[in-house]
Amino acid sequence: MSTQPATANATSEEEPLSLALSIDEEAAHSVIGDVPAESVMETFHLNVYYGGFHAVHDINLTFGKNEITALIGPSGCGKSTVLRCLNRMNDLVPGARVEGEISYHGQNIYAKGVDPIAVRQHIGMVFQKPNPFPKSIYDNIAYGPRVIGMKVDNMDDLVEEALRGAALWDEVKDKLKQSAYGLSGGQQQRLCIARTIATKPDVILMDEPCSALDPIATSKVEDLMLQLRDDYTIIVVTHNMQQAARVSDRTAFFTAKPDETTGNRTGLLVEFDRTKRLFSNPADQRTEDYISGRFG
Amino acid sequence: MSSAATTAAAVTTSTLASGRSQDRDLRSLAFLGALWFSLFFGVAVLFALIVDTAISGAPRFDSALFTQYTQTFDPERAEALAATGRDPKDLSAAYTGFRSGIVGSIILMITTALLAIPLGVSAAVYLEEFASKTSRFSKVVEVNLQNLAAVPAVIYGMLAATLMAVVGVQRGIAIGGAVALALLILPVVIITTREALRSVPDEIRQGSLALGATVWQTTWRQTLPSAVPGISTGTILGLSRAIGEAAPLVMIGFGAINFAPEFPFVTSKIEAFPLEIFNAASDSKEVVQQAASAGIIVLLAMILGMNAVAIIIRNKFQRSW
Ligand SMILES: Nc1ncnc2c1ncn2[C@@H]1O[C@H](COP(=O)(O)OP(=O)(O)OP(=O)(O)O)[C@@H](O)[C@H]1O
Ligand SMILES: [Mg+2]
């Protein structure tokens, strides 16, 4: 992990300045631009710790309804960590601790008495590596609705609807009973998206959904994301600047700040704004360096 | 002259094509021979044993071996055969079979499997899917399991005998032996099940949990089904070890049952195949010893058959994730 002193970072020109600031001062300097009017999820002073290690510091974000929000930033700055907190998948990491609040339609999902299972039924997730179940294509889709006890009149229709929704139906309609492992990587990833929308969530989280795919499969998934935006709120982590620029409405740029004494790198939010603005006219020097490829 | 040219000049026919190989000199060959000897020593001894046993049991590979109970003296048959002028005692004993032992061992294996599989799989599922991996408790259990797997079978026999005495049931009944054998193979079942569960990638679990499934649903519908081939392989290997065990069954009081077990079989007194073979092998009559040899081959075939099934399952369902 990144417990060793961050040397890669120390070459940045801004380093002396940012080292002089405490992390709290720095977090206070986050540039929060245009915030969505109608929000689905919000984080308030979100801090995440893995054991004694402070992974992300004081994240305040607002995710707009029917928008695609991209989380970008150098490796290890806590994008996946923030994303996993949004549907409480981080609960599964031993030693992980979350402070602050994440509200979903005004309800704090970390409040006492909130069932993480119920949270995940509303907030689905697509992973970096396609992870279909070792079952047939049909059963991959039907699994979610079955386990959460969704009332389904006709499972066949639901499966078709989900596969159409993920732009996969035409490719697999003749082999629904075949193993999902026979599909290509890109098809598997769209199957995972279909599997997620089959449970009719509200928000879909995606952690680098295209990083294991070739350019053609990537563009298919990107088209799909734009299409899904009409019905879902999407939050996507990506390392691909062009992808963030192409698909997202808003972008949050994170960076990792090394602690002076321990060298542990703690992630914090630098800038959050409309994607167009953030990419064309970034307010923070670090954002500009990152998106122009000079850093990270 | 450049150094390359010097080297080239030095390389004459005498150095390269000397007709000898340094890999084939006396010392290398002796060493190679020792390796081959080590390899074949065990295999050869085993092979010789099997052939010798098979030859001495050759006259008894007949259906009576499976259909007859242990025969010592059968007056009816003896009378019919007395005319041939041979000792009627020997003649009837020549028809001795292992029916009660084979039936008993099958009952024993089924009961053992019914006890060991649910217990072992549940324990493994708890340890892998629910217990905290870092807790002291898990570490203690881990070490204990490894040690339990190495405990001699007799000890489990004594434990089961005590258990049966405490419960107050009869000695020598099927369930007592099954408890002993289940205890014997439990560590193996737990260890192999844990390995099978561990080989199921975490992405599968995460995918299921992210859809809103509970840990229980995820285990029951994703992890366990994916681990079934590994679990069955381990269980069959455990059972094939158990089927040849005689010592713990002696402790339980098995033996000398010459009738069909009655329903329900688990509470019936039964005989076990290896014990019956042991008794037959120490019989004074040569015909009975022949039957013992034939019985050994049958038992071996059963064990090898079970192992073969385990290997087939493993190869057939092996998944590269
Ligand atoms: N399960 C974990 N246990 C301990 N530390 C963790 C764990 N997961 C992540 N971390 C640490 O938290 C920090 C943030 O990790 P995270 O995976 O969120 O970064 P990221 O921005 O998604 O990086 P990448 O772009 O490489 O995916 C890193 O320093 C990482 O080492
Ligand atoms: Mg990540």
Side-chain angles (χ1 to χ4, degrees):
Chain A
M1 301 273 143
S2 57
T3 39
Q4 66 272 76
T7 42
N9 235 14
T11 53
S12 166
E13 302 152 35
E14 269 62 49
E15 216 50 53
L17 173 69
S18 52
L19 274 178
L21 292 174
S22 80
I23 194 148
D24 282 305
E25 289 164 333
E26 184 130 8
H29 277 86
S30 301
V31 182
I32 306 290
D34 189 21
V35 171
E38 194 182 354
S39 81
V40 171
M41 297 193 78
E42 276 173 88
T43 68
F44 299 104
H45 303 292
L46 179 71
N47 282 277
V48 188
Y49 303 83
Y50 292 110
F53 167 57
H54 192 177
V56 295
H57 178 81
D58 205 39
I59 306 289
N60 295 288
L61 280 172
T62 309
F63 302 103
K65 188 169 165 56
N66 297 107
E67 281 189 2
I68 298 178
T69 308
L71 311 183
I72 62 170
S75 200
C77 67
K79 307 177 294 292
S80 302
T81 299
V82 169
L83 196 74
R84 280 199 306 264
C85 288
L86 294 175
N87 70 343
R88 294 196 60 172
M89 283 298 277
N90 236 18
D91 291 18
L92 306 170
V93 179
R97 188 160 52 83
V98 174
E99 280 174 10
E101 225 177 86
I102 295 180
S103 88
Y104 169 66
H105 292 297
Q107 249 198 78
N108 181 9
I109 60 170
Y110 278 93
K112 240 200 182 125
V114 170
D115 181 8
I117 310 284
V119 169
R120 291 178 206 138
Q121 290 175 3
H122 289 100
I123 306 169
M125 190 163 201
V126 176
F127 298 83
Q128 179 168 3
K129 199 172 137 231
N131 59 346
F133 301 130
K135 296 173 182 286
S136 71
I137 293 170
Y138 185 99
D139 286 336
N140 259 278
I141 308 286
Y143 176 78
R146 279 184 190 142
V147 291
I148 67 172
M150 221 166 101
K151 285 202 176 46
V152 180
D153 296 329
N154 187 336
M155 189 57 88
D156 293 358
D157 290 346
L158 181 75
V159 170
E160 180 174 343
E161 189 191 322
L163 286 169
R164 281 190 190 283
L168 192 60
W169 174 252
D170 292 328
E171 290 160 66
V172 302
K173 62 171 181 258
D174 299 322
K175 45 182 183 179
L176 293 177
K177 294 289 170 206
Q178 289 174 26
S179 166
Y181 280 47
L183 298 176
S184 74
Q187 289 173 326
Q188 288 187 3
Q189 193 62 301
R190 278 180 286 146
L191 180 69
C192 291
I193 295 174
R195 178 175 85 185
T196 305
I197 61 181
T199 59
K200 307 213 185 310
D202 186 20
V203 181
I204 303 176
L205 311 176
M206 300 182 174
D207 194 349
E208 301 183 42
C210 302
S211 66
L213 307 183
D214 67 61
I216 294 174
T218 298
S219 85
K220 279 191 182 163
V221 172
E222 286 179 8
D223 290 345
L224 176 57
M225 287 164 70
L226 290 170
Q227 200 180 311
L228 291 171
R229 180 173 58 178
D230 297 340
D231 300 311
Y232 304 92
T233 298
I234 298 175
I235 303 165
V236 58
V237 170
T238 179
H239 269 291
N240 182 333
M241 287 317 115
Q242 287 84 7
Q243 180 170 70
R246 274 194 301 263
V247 301
S248 72
D249 301 292
R250 270 169 237 273
T251 300
F253 171 66
F254 294 73
T255 193
K257 181 183 158 64
D259 187 283
E260 285 137 86
T261 46
T262 60
N264 285 340
R265 296 171 71 219
T266 300
L268 53 93
L269 179 65
V270 174
E271 191 163 354
F272 176 53
D273 207 338
R274 283 196 179 278
T275 300
K276 277 211 189 77
R277 174 107 53 83
L278 190 131
F279 274 84
S280 61
N281 186 18
D284 193 293
Q285 182 64 35
R286 286 167 297 179
T287 316
E288 187 171 351
D289 288 349
Y290 186 73
I291 58 179
S292 58
R294 258 178 280 157
F295 167 82
Chain B
M1 235 201 289
S2 73
S3 72
T6 323
T7 314
V11 177
T12 60
T13 339
S14 63
T15 55
L16 285 183
S18 61
R20 291 181 298 120
S21 160
Q22 292 170 42
D23 245 355
R24 287 275 175 279
D25 67 4
L26 204 61
R27 267 181 58 197
S28 309
L29 285 178
F31 190 55
L32 202 64
L35 293 181
W36 276 85
F37 177 77
S38 312
L39 172 63
F40 279 103
F41 184 72
V43 178
V45 168
L46 183 68
F47 187 72
L49 255 172
I50 292 177
V51 169
D52 181 55
T53 313
I55 289 172
S56 62
R60 282 310 318 275
F61 289 114
D62 50 27
S63 62
L65 196 72
F66 302 93
T67 56
Q68 294 296 319
Y69 293 110
T70 309
Q71 305 279 328
T72 44
F73 185 75
D74 177 354
E76 240 175 76
R77 190 178 287 133
E79 207 172 312
L81 296 169
T84 56
R86 291 170 63 188
D87 183 355
K89 264 195 174 173
D90 266 9
L91 286 167
S92 66
Y95 289 91
T96 193
F98 297 113
R99 180 167 168 178
S100 57
I102 292 172
V103 170
S105 277
I106 290 172
I107 293 173
L108 205 53
M109 280 310 104
I110 293 172
T111 322
T112 304
L114 288 179
L115 286 175
I117 295 174
L119 275 176
V121 171
S122 313
V125 164
Y126 173 76
L127 288 172
E128 276 306 305
E129 307 291 324
F130 292 90
S132 149
K133 299 255 154 46
T134 48
S135 75
R136 160 116 23 116
F137 171 75
S138 295
K139 282 182 188 141
V140 170
V141 170
E142 181 91 50
V143 172
N144 269 315
L145 277 176
Q146 304 287 352
N147 287 335
L148 277 179
V151 169
V154 193
I155 310 289
Y156 288 110
M158 288 167 69
L159 184 61
T162 315
L163 215 69
M164 290 296 113
V166 169
V167 177
V169 295
Q170 236 182 330
R171 276 171 66 76
I173 62 170
I175 185 75
V179 167
L181 295 182
L183 287 173
L184 174 71
I185 68 169
L186 205 51
V188 179
V189 174
I190 294 176
I191 290 168
T192 49
T193 303
R194 290 184 70 180
E195 264 156 30
L197 291 172
R198 229 174 283 162
S199 76
V200 177
D202 249 355
E203 284 93 66
I204 300 293
R205 295 182 184 84
Q206 300 214 339
S208 172
L209 293 169
L211 287 170
T214 61
V215 176
W216 178 246
Q217 286 170 325
T218 303
T219 304
W220 195 242
R221 300 199 188 197
Q222 298 290 354
T223 324
L224 263 183
S226 303
V228 161
I231 296 172
S232 25
T233 308
T235 311
I236 294 173
L237 289 178
L239 285 174
S240 85
R241 177 184 168 195
I243 198 173
E245 282 292 346
L249 302 179
V250 173
M251 304 301 301
I252 286 288
F254 268 47
I257 302 301
N258 237 338
F259 44 81
E262 69 244 21
F263 195 81
F265 304 122
V266 286
T267 52
S268 175
K269 273 189 175 259
I270 57 165
E271 173 71 287
F273 197 14
L275 276 182
E276 213 167 30
I277 292 174
F278 176 75
N279 290 333
S282 42
D283 197 284
S284 58
K285 289 184 280 296
E286 206 197 324
V287 279
V288 180
Q289 288 169 20
Q290 280 177 2
S293 297
I296 288 170
I297 298 296
V298 172
L299 182 59
L300 258 179
M302 285 164 86
I303 292 172
L304 290 181
M306 286 167 84
N307 290 354
V309 169
I311 290 169
I312 289 168
I313 291 178
R314 196 186 59 201
N315 290 349
K316 188 156 180 214
F317 294 98
Q318 208 164 41
R319 199 197 304 276
S320 50
W321 293 96

